[in-house]
Amino acid sequence: MAFVETPSPTVPLDALRDTDPEIAALVRAEERLQGETLRMIASENYVSAAVLRATGSVLTNKYSEGYPGRRYYEGQQTVDPIEELACARARALFRAEHANVQPYSGSPANLAVYLAFAKPGDAVLGMSLPMGGHLTHGWDVSATGRWFRSSSYGVRRDTGRIDLDEVRSIALHERPKLIFCGGTAVPRAIDFAAFAEIAREVGAVLVADIAHIAGLVAAGVHASPMGHADVVSTTTHKTLRGPRGAMILCGAEYAKTVDKAVFPGLQGGPHNRTTAAIAVALREAATPEFGAYARAVVANARRLGDELAACGFDLVSGGTDTHLLLIDLTSRGVPGKPAAKALDRAGIVVNHNAVPFDPRRPFDPSGIRVGTPALTSRGLGEEHMPRVAEWIDRVVESVRTGRDGVEEQVRGEVRELMASYPAPGLPVD
Ligand SMILES: *Cc1c(COP(=O)(O)O)cnc(C)c1O
């Protein structure tokens, strides 16, 4: 398929091998693992060789506290244009007036949003973690839940979809300063317009955290929060297929506030190699090939959902509009953790996950979360999804029955298939 690039050797490991054979061997082992397995962690992906190269560049040697044209260090002849390019591409791709590409990752980006728009003790509202929200949306073990008066909304029991009536009634009661929408285990499209209406009614700042779906939004496969949310935060390493990093997008009126919150509010020098790699990823994401990729991600997830449902799996909300599926394994008589561990041994990498109204404990929940971004980056298409569903079915069933040999068998089949679909950025053996 067109969006799969020819793999090319990454930065050579020779220097690493000479200096630190232990780490070199582990990196090599990770390359093998990423090559041989079916990676279905919904937040993971494969970056291109170009993105990988930028992250392994001499830009790691540079300090550049401040912003382009306003730095606290000299020697910014190349760093300034790199960051300007990254910001310009982010603004163009997401149709935002302002972009800040310096947050070290998604969690610090969200912390910067709190710093910009709220004060400790203020009320904030986010989706509850076990319902699919993120820790940084006010969950109690996170600083955001300890330093702010947070409340949370969830999904409806009957539909598995976000309960907007609940969002509105909590918002009216708590009068939050910030309302977060977006999550980590939300299979259905987020209705940004509906959240915006509630935020307007109660005078809250609406934050759309599109960390998971940024690539889908960039490609127009998921509706954009622009024009609805006051602030948009996102990671760059999930469906967007960039390096580990993050961005904050907003209107011109919030530009200064957001920039000041990131630096000097929260961070020191930006990670310039990441900025460069974000710029490369944004350039890639603006191509028609990336559009085809994003559409294939969703088509694969939908097809996989259909196939899993046909095998008797119980999908939260009945399916997906995005890149991920949340599977409630209760009806299969197997908890999420042993299922995820068995799948890992079988070469299919997923994570155990709480399902809405989960009666089990968070460390040992009822479900697993699976996603299609990484396997689609390797060129797997809808035609492969029946096979993937069948593997998951066989492995989960073997956990229930205790049947031996299934994991080894599936692992071999997975390895054989993946050998025909080389991963972007990985060296070919
Ligand atoms: C992944 C994610 C984050 C956090 O990103 P990190 O880079 O892991 O800190 C924040 N919000 C949402 C919704 C996410 O899915």
Side-chain angles (χ1 to χ4, degrees):
M1 260 179 266
F3 50 82
V4 177
E5 54 198 305
T6 325
S8 61
T10 58
V11 182
L13 281 175
D14 306 15
L16 184 54
R17 209 171 291 127
D18 294 345
T19 305
D20 192 336
E22 277 173 288
I23 290 293
L26 288 166
V27 173
R28 182 71 196 110
E30 179 63 23
E31 287 176 349
R32 282 226 183 80
L33 208 53
Q34 293 192 16
E36 287 176 2
T37 55
L38 188 57
R39 300 171 61 233
M40 298 191 74
I41 291 180
S43 48
E44 289 189 351
N45 213 328
Y46 295 93
V47 298
S48 69
V51 168
L52 200 56
R53 180 65 185 83
T55 64
S57 69
V58 295
L59 288 161
T60 202
N61 297 336
K62 282 300 301 168
Y63 241 112
S64 50
E65 283 181 6
Y67 290 99
R70 294 173 286 138
R71 303 282 190 189
Y72 290 80
Y73 295 79
E74 300 312 318
Q76 309 300 327
Q77 292 86 344
T78 65
V79 170
D80 273 6
I82 285 169
E83 186 168 337
E84 274 164 353
L85 269 173
C87 291
R89 288 173 185 173
R91 291 194 302 265
L93 188 65
F94 291 97
R95 298 192 175 81
E97 288 175 353
H98 181 70
N100 185 310
V101 297
Q102 293 195 5
Y104 298 144
S105 210
S107 304
N110 283 345
L111 265 188
V113 171
Y114 283 91
L115 186 61
F117 297 99
K119 289 199 168 47
D122 278 351
V124 298
L125 174 59
M127 192 173 193
S128 122
L129 181 75
M131 293 277 182
H134 192 260
L135 280 166
T136 55
H137 298 181
W139 196 241
D140 58 2
V141 296
S142 151
T144 63
R146 293 170 56 182
W147 295 343
F148 297 90
R149 195 163 55 77
S150 69
S151 41
S152 58
Y153 59 87
V155 299
R156 291 175 57 101
R157 227 177 236 282
D158 53 346
T159 59
R161 295 180 187 236
I162 290 170
D163 189 342
L164 286 160
D165 295 333
E166 187 190 18
V167 177
R168 181 164 179 270
S169 71
I170 300 175
L172 283 168
H173 189 256
E174 300 290 334
R175 296 277 157 179
K177 211 48 179 287
L178 294 175
I179 298 179
F180 280 85
C181 61
T184 62
V186 182
R188 295 297 180 172
I190 306 287
D191 187 347
F192 297 119
F195 271 100
E197 201 173 303
I198 295 166
R200 218 172 300 122
E201 190 179 352
V202 302
V205 170
L206 179 63
V207 189
D209 182 347
I210 60 167
H212 259 264
I213 55 172
L216 310 183
V217 170
V221 177
H222 187 295
S224 170
M226 295 302 155
H228 300 299
D230 300 290
V231 194
V232 175
S233 71
T234 183
T235 58
T236 46
H237 48 270
K238 299 180 184 176
T239 51
L240 191 57
R241 234 167 53 175
R244 306 200 81 74
M247 307 191 290
I248 301 174
L249 310 166
C250 62
E253 71 271 34
Y254 297 129
K256 269 215 179 91
T257 314
V258 164
D259 284 356
K260 270 171 57 189
V262 174
F263 174 86
L266 208 60
Q267 299 188 169
H271 293 181
N272 297 307
R273 64 205 171 127
T274 301
T275 307
I278 288 174
V280 176
L282 291 168
R283 187 186 171 112
E284 292 175 345
T287 60
E289 288 79 9
F290 188 87
Y293 163 71
R295 283 190 294 279
V297 165
V298 176
N300 282 343
R302 284 221 166 100
R303 179 68 186 273
L304 180 63
D306 292 344
E307 297 295 333
L308 286 168
C311 294
F313 283 100
D314 192 358
L315 307 177
V316 172
S317 85
T320 184
D321 303 321
T322 63
H323 60 297
L324 73 83
L325 294 155
L326 193 52
I327 307 174
D328 185 343
L329 293 172
T330 308
S331 63
R332 300 293 302 249
V334 177
K337 203 169 189 171
K341 288 200 177 301
L343 285 163
D344 191 36
R345 290 189 297 268
I348 299 173
V349 192
V350 306
N351 62 281
H352 61 82
N353 212 102
V355 297
F357 311 102
D358 204 324
R360 302 179 62 89
R361 292 168 307 130
F363 282 114
D364 187 18
S366 299
I368 54 172
R369 185 187 68 162
V370 301
T372 53
L375 61 83
T376 309
S377 289
R378 295 182 73 158
L380 295 202
E382 280 186 71
E383 68 277 19
H384 298 105
M385 295 307 111
R387 187 115 196 262
V388 173
E390 191 240 338
W391 282 331
I392 294 174
D393 186 36
R394 267 161 68 194
V395 173
V396 169
E397 195 53 20
S398 78
V399 176
R400 194 182 64 83
T401 60
R403 198 174 143 208
D404 280 339
V406 176
E407 290 162 12
E408 294 69 24
Q409 207 172 30
V410 170
R411 189 178 183 92
E413 291 171 28
V414 168
R415 188 185 291 137
E416 195 186 314
L417 178 72
M418 297 328 280
S420 312
Y421 292 89
L426 294 195
V428 203
D429 284 311

